[in-house]
Amino acid sequence: MRTVTGSRERHLLALALQATLPGTPMVFAGSEFGLTGVNGEHSRTPMPWNRPADQDLPTLAAYRELFGLRRAEPALRHGGLRWLHADADCLVFARETYAESVLVCVRRAAGAPLRLGVHARGLYNAEDGDVLPGDGPSVRLWRLAR
């Protein structure tokens, strides 16, 4: 995924979308380490299990944390999808079940903060409040009060 996205920041945005949008996330071997390649032959490169210098550990930690969050939150696995905001650099949507709502904000670049109108509890990389910050690139998740 790093090859397609071109940077760690955009790789992590794509990862967050995989972990929060409906569907089954697919991870190609090596994406969790931030590996890159130019053609199909690079997919034959052995996994760097014993080569720490070839492992992007912050990316691996993000995979563990975001997929762990997906596993822990039923709305991220089984919930409906409601789009709340979309522009050239920002997507905001809710994943909802009858029991819970999780708000997701993925920003490719900085933009204007967005006011929610309801109080939200920070769930991932987010503080409690009613404003979605405008900095980016960033990924944040909140739990909406029911």
Side-chain angles (χ1 to χ4, degrees):
M1 188 176 311
R2 180 75 51 93
T3 301
V4 172
T5 60
S7 70
R8 174 188 287 150
E9 291 78 19
R10 287 188 173 176
H11 180 166
L12 297 180
L13 298 179
L15 166 63
L17 290 171
Q18 276 192 307
T20 59
L21 284 169
T24 303
M26 300 298 291
V27 178
F28 190 75
S31 287
E32 69 275 27
F33 287 134
L35 299 183
T36 60
V38 177
N39 59 40
E41 289 301 311
H42 285 107
S43 65
R44 297 173 186 240
T45 303
M47 286 291 284
W49 301 117
N50 298 316
R51 295 189 321 267
D54 292 339
Q55 300 173 9
D56 182 344
L57 296 180
T59 296
L60 180 60
Y63 269 81
R64 288 181 173 149
E65 190 169 6
L66 285 164
F67 285 142
L69 187 60
R70 181 182 176 89
R71 186 173 35 257
E73 298 295 330
L76 294 178
R77 290 190 323 276
H78 308 293
L81 172 69
R82 184 165 41 117
W83 291 102
L84 302 172
H85 175 84
D87 64 36
D89 293 312
C90 180
L91 295 175
V92 180
F93 55 91
R95 294 295 309 276
E96 300 173 302
T97 65
Y98 288 111
E100 69 173 341
S101 292
V102 174
L103 181 74
V104 179
C105 179
V106 178
R107 286 189 179 271
R108 183 171 57 177
L114 301 170
R115 186 158 301 280
L116 282 176
V118 298
H119 185 77
R121 241 180 40 235
L123 188 59
Y124 174 81
N125 196 30
E127 295 181 12
D128 294 0
D130 65 348
V131 175
L132 307 182
D135 60 324
S138 64
V139 174
R140 291 187 171 84
L141 282 75
W142 293 264
R143 184 179 312 284
L144 296 178
R146 284 267 187 203

